[in-house]
Amino acid sequence: MRFKFILRIAALLAIPGVAVAQDQSAAGWQPMSYYNFQVPSTTDPLQTLVWPDVIREANAYVTTELKRPLDGRNALVTALASTYRDGNRTIIVSTALSRACDSGANDRGAEIEPSTCPLRIATIENGKVLSIKSDMGCYTDHADPDLPAKNRNDNSYTRYDPTSGTISFRTTIGGRDVPSCARTYSLK
């Protein structure tokens, strides 16, 4: 009897969490997708329009400083990105894990933290960049089976509001929003 009572209370408490998740989805939050730039591309806008300078810097560091050949590949640079279409314009929101990042805790006993990395919002029309806004944003490791179970769904999310002309950005770590990662950027 006592177990059934506790189960009913737990079920009632779980409902608001489901409603919040549905509201976030309905409000247009889009998880950022993971990209690895080690295979060079002449058609990927992230490599050709948004992050070519970061890829060049990473390649130069590996070949010049570390004295390692790349054998036709790029150095390890990864990115998280979301893409939105607004009429003839394409808006790409992206953050890249590179040497310019301020990485979170790296001690074995530390809690996982996002890295603070370069963030760019590119507005493209007819294959040409109209503008690129640069800032720093949070980067979370892509789903990695070696991460603790509570961190396997860590991600960054974006939302585009065409009416206000803004991009909102947020990051979750261990199932919770990281307040210092929440930002809104105006595209105007």
Side-chain angles (χ1 to χ4, degrees):
M1 181 74 152
R2 190 174 195 170
F3 175 73
K4 287 181 183 178
F5 180 72
I6 291 172
L7 185 60
R8 286 183 184 155
I9 290 175
L12 287 173
L13 291 174
I15 290 172
V18 171
V20 168
Q22 290 171 343
D23 286 345
Q24 288 174 349
S25 175
W29 285 107
Q30 175 180 324
M32 297 180 84
S33 298
Y34 173 82
Y35 296 88
N36 182 327
F37 300 146
Q38 285 186 292
V39 175
S41 171
T42 57
T43 58
D44 175 11
L46 286 170
Q47 288 189 44
T48 60
L49 300 174
V50 182
W51 298 110
D53 57 322
V54 171
I55 294 168
R56 276 192 309 275
E57 288 172 17
N59 289 346
Y61 176 75
V62 169
T63 57
T64 306
E65 298 292 322
L66 300 180
K67 309 260 189 252
R68 286 192 271 163
L70 289 171
D71 300 322
R73 296 177 60 85
N74 285 325
L76 181 61
V77 176
T78 60
L80 300 174
S82 297
T83 302
Y84 297 94
R85 297 279 302 152
D86 187 2
N88 292 333
R89 296 184 319 156
T90 300
I91 300 156
I92 300 173
V93 184
S94 180
T95 181
L97 185 62
S98 67
R99 294 185 67 235
C101 294
D102 179 12
S103 295
N106 60 7
D107 182 88
R108 184 177 198 148
E111 287 290 318
I112 291 177
E113 298 175 353
S115 295
T116 303
C117 297
L119 177 131
R120 294 181 180 167
I121 302 170
T123 303
I124 303 165
E125 189 170 343
N126 299 323
K128 294 182 181 177
V129 176
L130 298 178
S131 68
I132 293 183
K133 291 187 178 252
S134 297
D135 198 357
M136 297 300 280
C138 291
Y139 184 100
T140 55
D141 284 329
H142 185 64
D144 180 347
D146 293 334
L147 289 171
K150 73 177 186 174
N151 295 101
R152 291 187 190 146
N153 293 315
D154 291 354
N155 209 340
S156 290
Y157 300 86
T158 59
R159 176 177 58 195
Y160 174 56
D161 182 348
T163 305
S164 66
T166 58
I167 293 280
S168 297
F169 183 89
R170 71 182 179 90
T171 297
T172 59
I173 300 285
R176 295 186 175 166
D177 279 343
V178 178
S180 61
C181 294
R183 296 209 171 61
T184 299
Y185 302 96
S186 174
L187 298 180
K188 295 179 180 182

